Amino acid sequence: MVQATNKKTAQAKTARIKPATTVAAGGNSETTTGSGVLDLHDGTSRMRLGQGGQQLEQRIVNQVLYQKPPAASGQLPEGKSWMKVDLQRLNRSQGAGGPTMSDPANSFAYTKSLSEKDVRKVGEETVNGVSTTHYRVDLDLSKPAEGDSAQERKLRAQLGDDVPVDLWIDEDGLTRRQQIRMTVKDTAQTGGTGARQAQAKVVMDFSGFATDVEVAAPPAADTVDMTDKVSGRSGTSSQTN
């Protein structure tokens, strides 16, 4: 059931999602929560995300992330209301395991990389009124590396050897809740020695399967490309700040 849940859930095509991402580093902890809709095949999504009383709108269209911060935040140049981050370009510069993995709208794809060993049944639990079975398993980091040994070593350097995943699966085999815990190391900025690290936990609840997902990119004139700026930062934030 655990190995099949990604495929069965993806067969529903779309879902409503409620993500919650907690990042702890240097004695500080921040939690981002949100709600929205997600295309389970290609990652197209639309969400509202909030942290510390501030909210922003986020869209992902064709592997490009768009975020609309609060108007008074001063984060964008005058005349621009959306920041744009090309996730494919960002991943090429940082490698797998960076922002794409940390972003809640994309983390569902990692259930395709579950280990086939040591699947543990935790117990029977109710999630948002639905009866589920709670399982715990690790990611098999060789799978997202797709046979590239250098990429696998980079993943392990960034995330460690153990990336535990908790899944709450209903009687139809659909994922109702997913939790991924990571220790993300920022090796790029430290040359691999004394790397800064953060503890990240991404929880995502699924409901309303087969809901309509209509998401369009903002007008190009309203966006500013921040991919190069973001690529120099740690990929631990779900908001890609």
Side-chain angles (χ1 to χ4, degrees):
M1 181 172 286
V2 171
Q3 293 300 323
T5 191
N6 178 279
K7 182 177 180 180
K8 287 188 176 181
T9 305
Q11 286 174 347
K13 297 183 179 179
T14 61
R16 294 190 181 95
I17 56 171
K18 285 190 174 182
T21 302
T22 301
V23 178
N28 297 314
S29 178
E30 293 183 340
T31 298
T32 300
T33 59
S35 62
V37 292
L38 170 67
D39 186 308
L40 296 163
H41 286 279
D42 63 14
T44 297
S45 65
R46 181 181 66 252
M47 291 193 294
R48 286 276 184 182
L49 297 170
Q51 181 185 92
Q54 297 290 319
Q55 281 201 338
L56 59 77
E57 183 179 348
Q58 174 175 294
R59 302 177 192 176
I60 295 179
V61 182
N62 295 326
Q63 292 300 303
V64 177
L65 180 147
Y66 301 91
Q67 288 187 338
K68 186 178 184 179
S73 67
Q75 297 181 34
L76 302 179
E78 185 176 354
K80 304 294 184 180
S81 54
W82 292 83
M83 64 176 285
K84 170 184 175 181
V85 178
D86 186 323
L87 295 174
Q88 292 181 317
R89 201 166 96 223
L90 190 65
N91 287 336
R92 285 195 295 270
S93 68
Q94 292 193 332
T100 296
M101 185 171 186
S102 302
D103 188 88
N106 290 299
S107 65
F108 171 72
Y110 279 78
T111 57
K112 292 188 294 186
S113 302
L114 296 175
S115 171
E116 297 180 359
K117 303 176 182 177
D118 301 325
V119 177
R120 286 89 75 193
K121 180 178 177 180
V122 178
E124 306 295 328
E125 300 175 19
T126 300
V127 175
N128 298 322
V130 178
S131 297
T132 70
T133 303
H134 179 185
Y135 295 95
R136 183 167 295 142
V137 66
D138 289 331
L139 287 184
D140 182 347
L141 294 177
S142 66
K143 291 183 179 180
E146 298 180 341
D148 186 331
S149 59
Q151 186 67 282
E152 183 177 346
R153 286 194 299 271
K154 187 172 183 178
L155 272 172
R156 294 186 185 280
Q158 290 176 327
L159 304 175
D161 292 324
D162 298 314
V163 180
V165 179
D166 287 78
L167 297 168
W168 287 259
I169 302 173
D170 70 14
E171 62 182 8
D172 296 319
L174 301 175
T175 299
R176 291 291 179 159
R177 175 174 290 166
Q178 171 187 297
Q179 174 182 287
I180 299 178
R181 287 169 290 164
M182 298 170 281
T183 300
V184 183
K185 299 177 182 178
D186 187 4
T187 57
Q189 296 187 16
T190 60
T193 60
R196 293 180 299 173
Q197 63 183 36
Q199 304 295 323
K201 181 176 73 172
V202 181
V203 181
M204 189 155 58
D205 285 357
F206 298 86
S207 64
F209 293 104
T211 192
D212 288 337
V213 176
E214 297 287 341
V215 186
D222 296 338
T223 69
V224 56
D225 195 327
M226 305 284 280
T227 307
D228 291 338
K229 184 176 181 180
V230 171
S231 67
R233 301 180 180 181
S234 173
T236 59
S237 171
S238 68
Q239 293 192 42
T240 319
N241 292 330

